[in-house]
Each structure stands twice: as C-alpha cells, then as structure tokens.
Amino acid sequence: MNKKQIIILGGGTAGNIFSHKLVKSLNTDEWEITVIDRSPIHYYQPGFLFIPFGIYRPEDVVKNKSELLHPNVNQVFSEIDRIVPQENNVYLENGSALKYDYLIISTGVDIAPDEVEGMKGDLWGLQVFDFYSFDGAVSLQMAMKNFKGGNLVVHVTEMPIKCPVAPLEFAFLSDYYFKRNGYRPEVNIHYVTPLPEAFTKPEAAKVFGNFLLNKNIKIHTDFNIAAVDNENKNIISWDEREIPFDLLVTVPTNMGSEFIGRSGMGDELNLMPTNQATLKARNFDNIFVAGDATDIPTSKAGSVIHYQAEVIVQNLISKIKNNPLNAKFDGHTNCFIETGNEKAILIDFDYENDPTRGRFPIHGLGPMSLLKETRINHLGKMAFKWLYWNRIIKGKDIPFSS
Amino acid sequence: MPEYIEKVKFDDEGYLENHEHWSEDLAKTMAEEEGIYDLTSRHLEVIYAIRGEFAEKGEAPTLRRLTKVHGFPTKELYQLFPGGPGKKAARIAGVKKPHGCI
Ligand SMILES: Cc1cc2nc3c(=O)[nH]c(=O)nc-3n(C[C@H](O)[C@H](O)[C@H](O)COP(=O)(O)OP(=O)(O)OC[C@H]3O[C@@H](n4cnc5c(N)ncnc54)[C@H](O)[C@@H]3O)c2cc1C
C-alpha cells in the first residue's frame, strides 16, 4: 500500500515541533512525513539578541537539523521553488515534484533589507547592521566592541516583525553594555519605531516607554523610513525627518518566504492567509500554516508556536477523519524581555486579553512577575535556551503552559 | 454643525463608529479637521480603495497594502495625507482605526 503523504515546509522551530508531534499522533504505517528545508543548520534565533553583546557565542545558537528532527521523518534539504495547490505538488529547486495529501507551511519570515532604499548600501556591514540574521548578529559583535561614542540608532523598519520586543531589548542591553564598558556617556542611544509608542500593546507600551526614559534612550515614534542616506549617514522618513547615525542597528522588513509569493498564495508580505482560530489556510482545505509564516494577529514567537502546534495536530486529525475543525487557537503569547542589569520583564497576552500586571505561576521556576522587572524573569529568559533545545522543538510540554 | 454630522457617532479617537454612515460630504468635513482643505478626486480614489477593502475584510489596509496592492506610491500618499497617511486616510474614509500589528 502506498503511504499517504504529509509534507512540512520549513524545518525551523515549527517544523521541528511537528516532526515530533505528528510521528506520535499518526500511524506511521499509513502516513509518511517529510520535512523540506533549504539549510541543514538550525539556528536558535532568540540567541541572536545576545551575540552582539558577547553574552552568547555564535556556536551557542547552532545545531544540525538532522539531530533535532524526529528520526522517523524524511529530511529533504533543498530550496523550495513553489507549491502548485491544484496538483497537490511541491516543486524543489531542481524541478522535482513531491506530492502531498496534507501540507503544513512553516517557512517563517526573514529579513528583507532591499525593501528600503539604501539600507543594503555601502555602509551595510560597516555601520549598518541587523541582528535578525546569524551573519548580522555575528558581525555586529565586532562593531559594538569597537564603538566608543556617537549616535547608536536602534531602528524598526515596518511591522509586523518576529519577536517585536527584541529591538527594545537590544536598546536596553546596549545601555547596560556601554555602562559596563565605560563608554555610556559618549554614546547617545536612539530608539526609532513606526509605531505611535514603544510597543503595540498600550499597557506594555507605557512600561517600556518608562524604561526608555529612565535609561536615557531617546524614542522617535511614527517614523516610517523612506531611505538610508549612506553619504550623510542619516535615516530619512517619508515625512522628511532625519536622524543621524554612527551605528545603525535596524530590523529590516520581515517577509514570508519568496516561494509563497511565486506560488500566488501569499499577501503583500508573502504571509499566508490563515484562519486565526483553526490555523487552516483560508483558501486551501488540505493546508495548515504554523508559526511566523501566518498572517494572524498575534506575535511571531517561538512560544506562540508551542501553543499553536496542539491545535494544528488536532485539526489535522479531524480533517483526515472528515470531522469539523473544533480545536481553536486563542492567540496566546508570552515572552521575557531583557531589560539590562541581568533583569527581565515577562508579558503574557492573547487575542482578547492585553498584557496585565500580576504574577504568573511557572512550574518548577516559581511565580514570575508580569510587567515587572525582576532577576527571576532574567533567569527565566536564560533558561529559555535550554527549554527551546530540549523541550519546545521536541514538541514536549513547557512549564509556561497555563 | 451640519445635520449629517450630528447624526453620526464617533469613537474616542474620532473614527466613525459605523462606516455605513459615511458620505463624501462628511469626508470633506473630516478632511478639513485634518488640515486637508481641498479633497481632490485623487484623495477620493485612495479613500474608496480603503473603504472597499474595509467592507471586504473588516480592516483598513496598511500603508504597504495601499502601495503594493492598490498602487498608490508611498511618497504621494504622504503628500495627499501629510503626517500619517495610514491613520488619517482611514479616518477620512470613515472606517475603523487600523490596528497596526502585534
Ligand atoms: C533576534 C530574535 C529574537 C527572538 N527572540 C525570541 C524570544 O525571546 N522568544 C520567542 O519565543 N521567540 C523569539 N524569536 C522568534 C522565534 O525565533 C521565531 O518566532 C520562530 O523561530 C519561528 O519559527 P518558524 O518555524 O515559524 O520559522 P523559522 O524557525 O524561522 O523556520 C523557517 C524555516 O524555513 C526554511 N525556509 C524558508 N524558506 C524556505 C525555502 N524557500 N526553501 C526551503 N526552506 C525554506 C528556513 O531555512 C527555516 O529553517 C526571536 C527571533 C529573533 C530573530
């Protein structure tokens, strides 16, 4: 008997989780599961934040995908060229086709610096950096080390971005870094955002706004970048404001994978239109979408995927049995935000509920304070790496589940 | 205040509560509140694009969508709606404030 095929596109955080969960939930005599990814290396992306400050070394954030994916899934390492949903085929770069009965798209988002004029200009890699890619984070470490004064501009190009708190954390950690190495009086830190305040959620925005103020970081809001002027070392907004930089650390536009656009399936950011409750692709009946690749209104974060995965597995099984899709994702997100000084904040919210103050019982780690800067939250953030490698991407429970 | 404005309701931030209560006359008045005294046919093209998408999706398009999907160059949008085309144009178009993202 020919086995039925489930193909998982992308073997990142989500792809890994599904490789483990599906092997456990489906009869592997009946189902064959395949993961396709362009690269054999898995990056622990939350660790990219810490590399520029020398807190993590590059080797702390890389592992081989083949060690992490479940051994009972097929691993194909190739660039995905396109999906032809009418044929139920995925085409690879070399032209070969793989047929699927069900597809899970989890190809994430990546930086697209070419979207802004001049961003990838002469100063890219010299005075203009990103920390959302491994290469960016690693080369920024030297630039931070050599920076002895002037304007450090931490900049967000356009929303949505994955881990929307990471640029704030970068600003906070920069303050701490330059205080420790003694250059803080010479370094002006600017935080530049297209949002009207420091963060998307008003309650949390207030808290972060105060942190910026207390750390003497100047915030520039509603800044929609039009161009990076490499000659005069400015960033320029569409309403013609200019901010000079000596070191620009930018989060470029985050876009879904290009093949989604090539397949004619995505929106203007190559994100997949996805039902926010069932996580099924809105226009396709045998396709589910997980993680950063969706267009749903929740944060793009590893912890979110952990909550999504169970919903997708249940709904996939319902779909296979021709039952209604009853499992619903509630938008649950939580994350730790490093604030410097070896402290951190924890926020937790979903589609309905904004982040609130309070305490949050975390199994094994004790109660963590929400929206309050504490040392225990910092330890939680640091423990996240272990949780990520050992539990999250293996599809196991994590102590945050509530 | 003209009668057509008295009847309609606005939320705390000045956005129309029901997009069906919108009219071009109302748009003119709201545009003036935003400092736009000459609401041209080009303004209206943008406004109708926003209204069309809102009716379909329940959400105003982002600036990127106005540019990439509806074909209005960003530069021009800033000229038409100085300061903040996303929010201003949505208000004048009588739809809910764009959420922004999370
Ligand atoms: C700086 C930074 C800090 C972060 N901090 C946190 C944090 O503190 N907490 C948290 O929960 N999350 C954090 N995140 C976010 C988290 O890393 C992502 O949300 C998560 O990894 C997304 O998982 P995913 O499976 O959707 O995508 P990814 O893990 O990005 O995987 C996508 C995979 O698809 C593959 N792929 C894409 N296109 C193709 C193609 N055409 N052909 C073949 N393969 C392809 C890629 O190679 C990749 O392996 C952070 C991210 C960054 C960048």
Side-chain angles (χ1 to χ4, degrees), chain A residues 10-15 36-39 45-46 48-49 65 78-80 106-109 131-132 162-163 166 257 259 290-293 300-303 305 335-336 381 384 388:
Chain A
T13 309
I36 309 176
D37 200 295
R38 61 158 74 101
S39 154
Q45 298 175 43
F48 293 171
L49 171 68
K65 286 204 170 89
S78 158
E79 183 76 28
I80 299 155
S106 53
T107 34
V109 292
F131 67 98
Y132 266 50
K162 50 185 157 185
C163 198
S257 201
F259 79 89
D292 295 351
K300 297 188 180 303
S303 58
I305 304 171
C335 66
F336 292 104
K381 175 103 184 177
F384 193 72
Y388 182 88

Side-chain angles (χ1 to χ4, degrees), chain B residues 68-82:
Chain B
K68 295 275 141 92
V69 180
H70 300 282
F72 302 106
T74 316
K75 185 96 208 153
E76 189 188 355
L77 288 171
Y78 270 90
Q79 283 157 356
L80 291 169
F81 302 94

Side-chain angles (χ1 to χ4, degrees), chain A residues 1 15 24 66 75 88 104 120-121 131 205 207 213-214 243 260 281 327 338 344 354 362 375 383 395 401:
Chain A
M1 189 186 85
K24 283 188 204 114
S66 54
Q75 303 174 15
N88 290 337
I104 295 178
K120 231 174 161 175
F131 67 98
V207 175
L213 198 70
N214 293 338
I243 300 172
I260 292 178
E338 276 293 294
D354 268 4
I362 293 195
R375 178 151 169 91
S401 306

